[in-house]
Amino acid sequence: KYLFSINSALGDQAYVWNENEMFLFRATLAFAMRTYSDGQEYDVANVVVCDETPRVSFWFVVTSPLDASLLVDKRRVEEAVRKSRSRINSAFLLTDDTLEFIGIPPTLEAPVAPDTPPWLIAFGVVMGGVGAGIVVLLVSSVKRDGEEETGGKTENEAASDAIYNMSFSDDEPVTQM
Amino acid sequence: MRLVFPNPRLEDRIPSHEDLELMEKVETGDRLKWGSKTQYLLTCVGFCVGLGNVWRFPYLCQSHGGGAFMIPFIILLVFEGVPLLYLEFAIGQRLRSGSVGVWSSIHPYMTGVGIASMTVSFFVGMYYNTILAWVMWYFLNSFQSPLPWSQCPLNDNLTDLVSECKRSSPVDYFWYRETLNTSTSIEESGGLQWWMVLCLAAAWSVLYLCCIRGIETTGKVVYITSTLPYVVLTIFLIRGLTLKGSVEGIKFLFTPDLNELLNPSTWLDAGAQVFYSFSLGVGGLISFSSYNPVHNNCEQDAIIIAIINGFTSIFAATVIYTIIGFRATKQFDDCLNENILMLLNAFDLVEGTVTEINYDEMLQNLNSTISGSEVIQGLDLSTCNLRTFLSDGVEGTGLAFIVFTEAITKMPISPLWSVLFFVMLFCLGLSTMFGAIEGVVVAIQDFKIFPTWPKEVISGIVCLSSFLIALIFSLGSGNYWLALFDSYAGSIPLLIIAFCEMVGVAYVYGIERFNKDIEFMIGHKPNIFWQAMWRVISPLIVLVIFLIYFVNEVSSTLTYITWNPSSENFPVLEILPYPNWVYIIILLLAGLPSLAIPGFALYKVLQKCCCKKTIKKLELNTVSANVNMDFFTMSE
């Protein structure tokens, strides 16, 4: 059984369901049977549709091209439909959600898995930047400490002696930045 | 009311006003200074404005009566938040030292308060930065389209979606399985998750880079980390308002329900939110304001910061709820459309007979016939209620990593919004971490544990040791450990510290002296409002909040929520009680800092009594403006 939900898929650009559209459907199904089933020459006449409703849903069966009274096995029809699902969908500008076939679940696309997960690449970039920054800052502060040590200490001691007469001073070294 | 604890020799431990004037004039000194007033304000704003403004306040607002929540929030902001803020700013600026130095100067027995602040800073910093590691993970994963949390992965033989994901949702699955790889309870450790370890390392490295030289480096970084969140929030606001359903969200957030004001838990939550939102008691604010010039107007600063913090909370809540409104409306529409499709298929109606507008009518019509109602019962239609979707318990990590990420997948150009959102969260959290690290590093420097070691090395040691201990949060059960730390490491000790701070300044240091100090610093004495707050009202509010919290925690069995795919109610989170050994850890987390306060006082008392040695006072090195701690040494 097939269910068409044209309006919800296309909205304003929805087409009206009529005989011609039905003809297209039968033709695509015949194409599917020809390509993915046993290779016999299926024709539009072999796809029989019944019980059509205004909802746009209907039942269909496929007869064998050799003998019109023989029905093709349901499983083979299902398989052919499953394999050509995307072709059928695009013929009607619909998707798996809007063109439902009761009994055949939509085939799942395997997601594209890149070799390196993208987050590792981004991580590498971030860590590279941060690492470089840390190295730069550490190197510059080592340089600055080297300059200060030679010139700075004596200045501090002199200042403290000059301004304050402390009763006693302790031996702790002055903490530097 | 002159209630002052006898405090002899206080003048010997603190710089006098003349000393302070001299410090101002003599430029050379070891003490760091702010590059500019803007840096100082931005740092304080960054410290106060954190993740809580974005993911705790909106939830509280919505669940406690919307617009009506503003009333207790603003009242408690004025009576509790601002006085405490002003107090910490003023005392830091006056005594020119980090929190350990300040409290040991006020009275040696109170050194424990400084130690408690340092311990809490350390614990909080550990778990807070883990949240940043999670944010970092999501940020790194945002550079792909479609976003990894927008679809379920396939199972091994590619026949179906992964069962855990199918039963819950792609965002839940990505959070609980691909990010945390969470175990089913806190007892199962689950091993280290290597990708989490990497993100943790990245987060701590970024933090180290920014804090490497203390406020010298953070002072520059805050220009970005404190302002970027506002830019991103504005962008999200504009984007959010153009989405369908956003106005519903805002209406839901702010619709006042004045009955909530009668509920005491509303006031309790408001008080707690104000208190924690200002990051009081951690020692960072005292430290930051100690680098200010002596005559800086700290009263003005406190009021400005408080206003900015309050405004940010409300602004962030608005933005969050535009997006939540959009998401809820989308869910409602999807739910409704599903039902409509089922009805159409079941009754073979032409498309367009049942729409969103006439759904209820049509449902009634179809239900009126006996055969119709039977069919409808068999369909199992789900009830679609917009309010239920809107009031989805959205706070904390659930808001950021589940709800918001889901909303982002439904917006066009999702990777862009995802990157922006997580950069904003990272900046918010990072600027708060600056204060936490400052609290620890400065305390170590005040204690003079490693006097000759440069600041870079001390920051490095702090970051490294925090990272190593924080590896516990990258275990399979890490999420549960973090929730434990979040609930107990920061909550109770901070309330105790804040209470001791106020009592210490008002009654041990002396409110009269404090008033004179403020008059010296900013030119006028604090008016009667501040006096009343500091002496009575603010400590009382903090005490009440503490007592209620404490009684609540002690009287109930402590539970936590877990993600268990094999539980019955999956995907509803399972509530488990904590095993017994966890109680010991809770006691350590909450008790260690709290007991440090009386513990250290006791230690000092014992030393004084038992050994009969006099305390040698260390002189004030006024040129470097360092107040040395009152060490106990033998007299000569």
Side-chain angles (χ1 to χ4, degrees):
Chain A
K1 182 170 181 185
Y2 251 109
L3 273 165
F4 277 67
S5 303
I6 305 172
N7 280 353
S8 46
L10 299 170
D12 290 332
Q13 292 158 341
Y15 47 80
V16 177
W17 185 260
N18 56 22
E19 280 299 317
N20 300 337
E21 303 284 349
M22 179 53 85
F23 183 79
L24 178 59
F25 174 76
R26 291 160 68 198
T28 45
L29 218 59
F31 160 79
M33 289 304 292
R34 278 197 197 194
T35 330
Y36 295 107
S37 197
D38 46 18
Q40 293 175 41
E41 298 254 328
Y42 287 91
D43 200 1
V44 180
N46 293 115
V47 181
V48 178
V49 165
C50 45
D51 222 5
E52 202 177 327
T53 68
R55 165 77 182 79
V56 195
S57 70
F58 46 81
W59 294 87
F60 72 93
V61 289
V62 180
T63 57
S64 165
L66 304 167
D67 186 358
S69 50
L70 251 169
L71 292 179
V72 175
D73 187 28
K74 178 177 164 185
R75 269 189 299 262
R76 279 172 46 201
V77 176
E78 279 185 1
E79 209 185 301
V81 168
R82 191 184 296 135
K83 285 183 180 161
S84 59
R85 198 62 187 273
S86 56
R87 294 295 293 271
I88 302 179
N89 283 351
S90 47
F92 291 95
L93 306 173
L94 294 173
T95 64
D96 278 347
D97 293 327
T98 40
L99 204 164
E100 263 183 271
F101 186 176
I102 310 268
I104 301 183
T107 45
L108 303 165
E109 246 179 61
V112 176
D115 295 324
T116 22
W119 74 267
L120 265 183
I121 302 174
F123 174 78
V125 171
V126 166
M127 283 307 278
V130 167
I134 293 180
V135 165
V136 163
L137 281 178
L138 283 178
V139 163
S140 73
S141 58
V142 165
K143 262 202 228 166
R144 197 171 58 158
D145 280 350
E147 285 169 11
E148 257 188 23
E149 258 190 40
T150 47
K153 235 191 216 166
T154 46
E155 212 181 276
N156 267 336
E157 288 172 358
S160 66
D161 286 332
I163 295 175
Y164 272 90
N165 285 326
M166 305 307 287
S167 46
F168 53 87
S169 59
D170 57 347
D171 289 319
E172 277 176 42
V174 175
T175 52
Q176 75 279 27
M177 272 197 282
Chain B
M1 196 169 58
R2 299 228 34 225
L3 202 75
V4 182
F5 185 80
N7 201 347
R9 290 198 295 263
L10 176 63
E11 277 103 16
D12 301 336
R13 292 192 294 265
I14 61 176
S16 67
H17 292 184
E18 295 78 31
D19 296 334
L20 289 178
E21 286 287 6
L22 216 60
M23 278 187 239
E24 279 293 282
K25 295 188 189 122
V26 176
E27 279 297 321
T28 58
D30 292 337
R31 192 141 194 97
L32 292 173
K33 276 206 297 264
W34 289 108
S36 67
K37 180 80 186 262
T38 323
Q39 278 185 9
Y40 165 63
L41 282 177
L42 281 177
T43 308
C44 288
V45 165
F47 184 43
C48 295
V49 171
L51 295 169
N53 295 68
V54 165
W55 72 30
R56 176 88 179 133
F57 178 80
Y59 168 73
L60 286 179
C61 198
Q62 170 266 106
S63 65
H64 284 298
F69 185 71
M70 298 300 162
I71 299 177
F73 183 68
I74 292 180
I75 291 179
L76 285 166
L77 191 79
V78 168
F79 286 109
E80 180 200 351
V82 186
L84 260 172
L85 201 61
Y86 187 11
L87 187 115
E88 289 209 355
F89 280 163
I91 201 76
Q93 194 170 301
R94 168 67 181 88
L95 296 181
R96 317 207 66 72
S97 176
S99 89
V100 168
V102 158
W103 297 109
S104 63
S105 312
I106 291 185
H107 198 288
Y109 292 178
M110 288 204 79
T111 316
V113 178
I115 297 178
S117 285
M118 176 181 92
T119 322
V120 172
S121 275
F122 187 68
F123 286 152
V124 169
M126 262 199 297
Y127 82 78
Y128 208 80
N129 215 31
T130 310
I131 300 179
L132 289 188
W134 293 341
V135 171
M136 169 80 76
W137 164 258
Y138 270 81
F139 167 73
L140 295 175
N141 271 295
S142 305
F143 291 100
Q144 44 185 298
S145 179
L147 294 170
W149 53 83
S150 58
Q151 17 173 246
C152 278
L154 300 175
N155 59 12
D156 289 327
N157 38 10
L158 300 183
T159 52
D160 198 5
L161 306 172
V162 171
S163 138
E164 193 181 342
C165 187
K166 210 161 92 153
R167 287 183 291 155
S168 53
S169 74
V171 274
D172 279 314
Y173 180 75
F174 187 77
W175 170 235
Y176 286 109
R177 190 53 53 212
E178 295 195 24
T179 306
L180 300 173
N181 197 12
T182 187
S183 60
T184 54
S185 75
I186 200 169
E187 289 141 309
E188 290 172 37
S189 74
L192 288 175
Q193 315 300 322
W194 64 271
W195 58 93
M196 260 308 121
V197 176
L198 285 182
C199 290
L200 210 59
W204 280 104
S205 309
V206 171
L207 185 64
Y208 179 56
L209 173 66
C210 296
C211 289
I212 201 166
R213 286 198 208 141
I215 63 167
E216 231 185 291
T217 38
T218 63
K220 314 266 182 332
V221 180
V222 287
Y223 281 112
I224 303 174
T225 59
S226 296
T227 52
L228 191 65
Y230 290 97
V231 172
V232 174
L233 278 174
T234 313
I235 295 176
F236 264 99
L237 184 67
I238 299 173
R239 170 76 264 217
L241 286 173
T242 59
L243 293 169
K244 177 183 176 203
S246 52
V247 182
E248 294 298 323
I250 300 184
K251 275 200 284 193
F252 182 70
L253 173 70
F254 286 125
T255 316
D257 177 10
L258 290 166
N259 290 326
E260 278 288 335
L261 292 182
L262 302 170
N263 184 358
S265 81
T266 305
W267 291 87
L268 180 68
D269 282 338
Q273 174 62 15
V274 165
F275 181 74
Y276 295 122
S277 165
F278 278 115
S279 312
L280 297 161
V282 206
L285 290 170
I286 298 182
S287 193
F288 285 148
S289 79
S290 72
Y291 303 125
N292 271 330
V294 174
H295 293 294
N296 175 52
N297 191 344
C298 44
E299 185 177 16
Q300 210 180 53
D301 294 342
I303 297 178
I304 293 176
I305 303 278
I307 293 177
I308 294 180
N309 198 9
F311 160 74
T312 309
S313 292
I314 299 174
F315 182 49
T318 314
V319 173
I320 296 286
Y321 266 85
T322 56
I323 305 289
I324 288 186
F326 159 69
R327 171 182 176 263
T329 310
K330 203 92 183 14
Q331 282 180 319
F332 177 70
D333 284 345
D334 286 344
C335 177
L336 208 57
N337 280 328
E338 235 180 74
N339 285 357
I340 291 176
L341 202 65
M342 281 202 274
L343 278 180
L344 287 178
N345 291 347
F347 290 96
D348 260 336
L349 303 165
V350 181
E351 270 190 293
T353 37
V354 187
T355 61
E356 292 173 15
I357 308 165
N358 62 8
Y359 174 76
D360 295 310
E361 252 184 76
M362 291 300 294
L363 190 62
Q364 278 231 337
N365 285 351
L366 293 169
N367 227 354
S368 50
T369 67
I370 303 175
S371 59
S373 56
E374 269 180 25
V375 173
I376 288 180
Q377 271 186 346
L379 282 180
D380 194 22
L381 295 173
S382 38
T383 37
C384 303
N385 187 343
L386 187 59
R387 274 196 84 83
T388 349
F389 290 127
L390 280 171
S391 49
D392 227 348
V394 284
E395 62 156 338
T397 51
L399 172 65
F401 300 120
I402 298 182
V403 170
F404 218 82
T405 45
E406 190 184 0
I408 287 177
T409 57
K410 299 191 160 68
M411 293 158 67
I413 326 175
S414 325
L416 170 69
W417 304 114
S418 182
V419 166
L420 274 179
F421 178 64
F422 288 111
V423 163
M424 174 186 86
L425 284 189
F426 197 77
C427 286
L428 281 173
L430 195 66
S431 50
T432 309
M433 282 302 297
F434 293 158
I437 293 291
E438 174 79 13
V440 180
V441 170
V442 168
I444 293 182
Q445 287 192 314
D446 280 349
F447 264 121
K448 292 206 165 43
I449 302 176
F450 313 111
T452 48
W453 292 10
K455 195 157 194 162
E456 289 90 341
V457 176
I458 300 185
S459 317
I461 294 179
V462 170
C463 287
L464 188 66
S465 49
S466 299
F467 164 66
L468 290 175
I469 304 179
L471 283 176
I472 198 178
F473 299 124
S474 64
L475 293 172
S477 52
N479 187 26
Y480 308 132
W481 284 103
L482 197 129
L484 189 72
F485 269 65
D486 190 23
S487 310
Y488 302 109
S491 52
I492 295 201
L494 283 176
L495 289 166
I496 298 180
I497 293 174
F499 181 74
C500 291
E501 280 188 3
M502 280 189 282
V503 165
V505 168
Y507 301 109
V508 179
Y509 185 72
I511 199 79
E512 293 296 326
R513 181 187 295 274
F514 194 55
N515 289 340
K516 291 208 193 78
D517 288 335
I518 293 182
E519 193 182 16
F520 167 70
M521 289 195 292
I522 65 177
H524 61 266
K525 267 196 179 168
N527 60 30
I528 190 76
F529 171 74
W530 302 114
Q531 307 290 327
M533 292 302 125
W534 288 329
R535 284 199 223 207
V536 182
I537 300 186
S538 302
L540 205 65
I541 296 178
V542 170
L543 188 67
V544 166
I545 297 178
F546 165 71
L547 285 173
I548 299 181
Y549 249 49
F550 190 71
V551 167
N552 261 347
E553 292 303 317
V554 169
S555 59
S556 55
T557 37
L558 305 175
T559 60
Y560 66 114
I561 47 177
T562 64
W563 176 263
N564 190 354
S566 43
S567 80
E568 298 164 350
N569 290 328
F570 188 78
V572 174
L573 297 164
E574 213 187 341
I575 302 179
L576 290 178
Y578 277 123
N580 286 329
W581 53 270
V582 170
Y583 283 88
I584 302 178
I585 300 196
I586 294 177
L587 276 176
L588 279 177
L589 280 178
L592 213 63
S594 321
L595 292 176
I597 302 176
F600 204 83
L602 205 66
Y603 163 72
K604 282 279 180 172
V605 168
L606 286 175
Q607 279 193 327
K608 203 169 182 181
C609 292
C610 299
C611 307
K612 290 208 187 96
K613 293 185 167 76
T614 56
I615 297 175
K616 170 181 170 178
K617 64 177 197 287
L618 299 173
E619 101 285 11
L620 181 65
N621 195 344
T622 54
V623 174
S624 61
N626 266 327
V627 179
N628 295 328
M629 210 176 76
D630 218 315
F631 266 116
F632 173 74
T633 58
M634 279 175 52
S635 61
E636 283 172 293

